[in-house]
Amino acid sequence: MTTEHPVRNADTTESKYRPTPRFEQPLSDDEVWTMLQTAVNSDRIMPIVKGNWQQSARDYDSAERAARALVFDLSFYTNYRFRQVRRLFRQTGMRDVLTDVEIDDIVEAAYFEQGGRSYPTFE
């Protein structure tokens, strides 16, 4: 699952979207996990976090699609801080389902799909 994307310098704001912080302070990793566990849609999210993406409340036809959904959820709660997204994703059970390259591709694709909305922490 490799997709070609133009390389962007994360320290620039080339995107027409400006990040809109939802939280005054960034959430810690523990706070993000708490938010995911207590979210209204946790029955969809938590099976993916545990690596049991087939048991999610939503039908995903592949591990990649489930992982992508999780990346978008993590992006939302981290306020599009992709360094934190990548770190959190690698703490989930999906790290045993996908390779590091696949994980990086999914995180990068989410970054571009979300219009590059990110603080300059995409490393």
Side-chain angles (χ1 to χ4, degrees):
M1 183 194 127
T2 43
T3 326
E4 296 236 356
H5 296 287
V7 177
R8 279 191 179 177
N9 179 350
D11 293 331
T12 63
T13 53
E14 336 171 342
S15 173
K16 64 181 177 180
Y17 302 103
R18 295 267 182 218
T20 308
R22 290 183 340 277
F23 309 107
E24 243 178 73
Q25 294 293 319
L27 294 177
S28 70
D29 289 0
D30 288 338
E31 290 171 319
V32 171
W33 289 127
T34 299
M35 298 289 278
L36 287 170
Q37 292 169 351
T38 58
V40 172
N41 60 349
S42 65
D43 60 335
R44 177 186 61 79
I45 298 169
M46 292 315 293
I48 302 170
V49 168
K50 295 174 185 171
N52 301 323
W53 61 272
Q54 301 96 330
Q55 296 174 3
S56 173
R58 180 173 291 161
D59 255 351
Y60 294 104
D61 57 0
S62 69
E64 287 87 10
R65 286 174 98 43
R68 191 178 179 85
L70 179 57
V71 166
F72 281 108
D73 290 322
L74 290 170
S75 299
F76 176 78
Y77 287 110
T78 62
N79 211 11
Y80 305 98
R81 289 176 172 85
F82 284 91
R83 179 185 301 165
Q84 187 178 16
V85 169
R86 183 177 282 127
R87 181 178 63 247
L88 289 169
F89 190 89
R90 287 196 170 132
Q91 295 173 19
T92 71
M94 294 301 285
R95 73 182 174 282
D96 299 329
V97 177
L98 302 169
T99 67
D100 282 346
V101 171
E102 289 171 321
I103 292 168
D104 287 343
D105 285 348
I106 290 168
V107 172
E108 185 176 338
Y111 172 78
F112 287 107
E113 240 180 81
Q114 294 175 24
R117 289 187 301 183
S118 178
Y119 291 94
T121 57
F122 185 64
E123 293 176 359

